Amino acid sequence: MKNRRIKLAPSILSADFSRLGDEVSEVAKAGADYIHVDVMDGHFVPNISVGPLVVRSLRPVTSLHVETHLMISDPDLFLEEFAQAGSDSILVHWEGNNNLHRTLQRIRALGKRPGVVINPATPAAVLEEVLTDVEQVLVMTVNPGFGSQQFLRTTLPKIRRVRRMMDRIRPGCDLEVDGGIDAVTAPLAVAAGANVLVAGTAIFGAGDDVAAAMEKLRAAVTEG
Ligand code: DX5
Ligand code: ZN
């Protein structure tokens, strides 16, 4: 189906925050590729989560690539802060951003990896003009705001469209999916063209053994 190495990006949203450093070390030991940090402001999405302080606290704990998914109303106001806190990638939504090109250039100017995120109701076509400015596209497979939601299968044709567009104009760009990813849905997303899987509940919510949970996910997307 693919021939691409699939990367796993555990989302700390479902981690035990009383022992966040240990949780991150455990997924790192179990072979995580990125650490996914979900930032929510209570405006862009109806939930509040964490800010730059948490990225800063994680920085000495892990050498893994920290990607920061900004679900906030005015991301431009906080780019510098997240960059200084130690984010490696900064992912901003297409929705509600009147000057997305400028935002992406700013992220790059800060020396960080820019990524664009689209919600389930947003068509793949909006990516056409920004694809050459990003290193990563994140297709939301749930409506953003909460962990533990059900994967929306209606996003699969869109993932395929994004992959086709990438193959045409931006090969090498990461295609990430986020929301409801588990051992059942991960193979569907990968078959559609995703190569980076965000997973919160399936990794941190699966009981104590995050290594076994990650292995299960990995096995689900590994052929033969
Ligand atoms: C949703 C967040 C996701 C979420 C994924 O708004 O962007 O990263 O934590 O959680 P699960 O894997 O539980 O669906
Ligand atoms: Zn996310």
Side-chain angles (χ1 to χ4, degrees), residues 122-205:
T122 303
V126 303
L127 298 171
E128 180 106 31
E129 307 303 327
V130 291
L131 216 47
T132 50
D133 298 306
V134 298
E135 302 299 328
Q136 186 158 341
V137 168
L138 169 49
V139 174
M140 290 305 301
T141 44
V142 299
N143 287 296
F146 302 93
S148 297
Q149 300 182 80
Q150 205 178 355
F151 180 85
L152 297 169
R153 283 171 190 249
T154 47
T155 60
L156 287 168
K158 179 163 65 175
I159 298 167
R160 280 194 285 273
R161 279 195 286 278
V162 175
R163 174 52 72 185
R164 276 202 296 274
M165 198 189 294
M166 275 182 184
D167 286 346
R168 187 163 48 87
I169 55 181
R170 188 82 169 107
C173 191
D174 274 335
L175 205 180
E176 183 171 45
V177 285
D178 183 3
I181 298 295
D182 58 22
V184 173
T185 57
L188 305 177
V190 168
N195 71 307
V196 187
L197 306 173
V198 176
T201 308
I203 292 175
F204 291 113

Side-chain angles (χ1 to χ4, degrees), residues 11 13 36-40 67-71 91 93 117 138 140 144 176 178-179 198:
S11 161
L13 193 64
H36 185 89
V37 179
D38 286 306
V39 178
M40 305 177 183
E67 59 174 29
T68 307
H69 175 190
L70 296 183
M71 289 163 274
L91 312 177
H93 274 258
V117 190
L138 169 49
M140 290 305 301
E176 183 171 45
D178 183 3
V198 176

Side-chain angles (χ1 to χ4, degrees), residues 8-194:
L8 295 184
S11 161
I12 62 164
L13 193 64
S14 299
D16 176 355
F17 274 74
S18 70
R19 46 184 297 274
L20 189 55
D22 291 343
E23 295 265 64
V24 167
S25 302
E26 282 169 32
V27 290
K29 213 169 126 207
D33 295 278
Y34 303 154
I35 298 297
H36 185 89
V37 179
D38 286 306
V39 178
M40 305 177 183
D41 66 352
H43 292 276
F44 187 82
V45 288
N47 197 7
I48 296 177
S49 60
V50 301
L53 191 65
V54 168
V55 174
R56 192 178 296 283
S57 316
L58 287 180
R59 201 58 285 181
V61 175
T62 183
S63 56
L64 281 184
H65 184 107
V66 172
E67 59 174 29
T68 307
H69 175 190
L70 296 183
M71 289 163 274
I72 62 179
S73 286
D74 201 342
D76 286 49
L77 294 178
F78 297 95
L79 298 178
E80 217 166 329
E81 217 173 320
F82 279 103
Q84 279 169 7
S87 300
D88 298 293
S89 296
I90 302 184
L91 312 177
V92 292
H93 274 258
W94 177 87
E95 297 82 13
N97 192 325
N98 293 329
N99 295 286
L100 182 60
H101 179 264
R102 180 185 293 146
T103 304
L104 296 169
Q105 298 306 318
R106 283 192 177 150
I107 295 170
R108 208 179 276 286
L110 288 164
K112 305 301 173 182
R113 209 169 169 260
V116 65
V117 190
I118 54 172
N119 278 341
T122 303
V126 303
L127 298 171
E128 180 106 31
E129 307 303 327
V130 291
L131 216 47
T132 50
D133 298 306
V134 298
E135 302 299 328
Q136 186 158 341
V137 168
L138 169 49
V139 174
M140 290 305 301
T141 44
V142 299
N143 287 296
F146 302 93
S148 297
Q149 300 182 80
Q150 205 178 355
F151 180 85
L152 297 169
R153 283 171 190 249
T154 47
T155 60
L156 287 168
K158 179 163 65 175
I159 298 167
R160 280 194 285 273
R161 279 195 286 278
V162 175
R163 174 52 72 185
R164 276 202 296 274
M165 198 189 294
M166 275 182 184
D167 286 346
R168 187 163 48 87
I169 55 181
R170 188 82 169 107
C173 191
D174 274 335
L175 205 180
E176 183 171 45
V177 285
D178 183 3
I181 298 295
D182 58 22
V184 173
T185 57
L188 305 177
V190 168

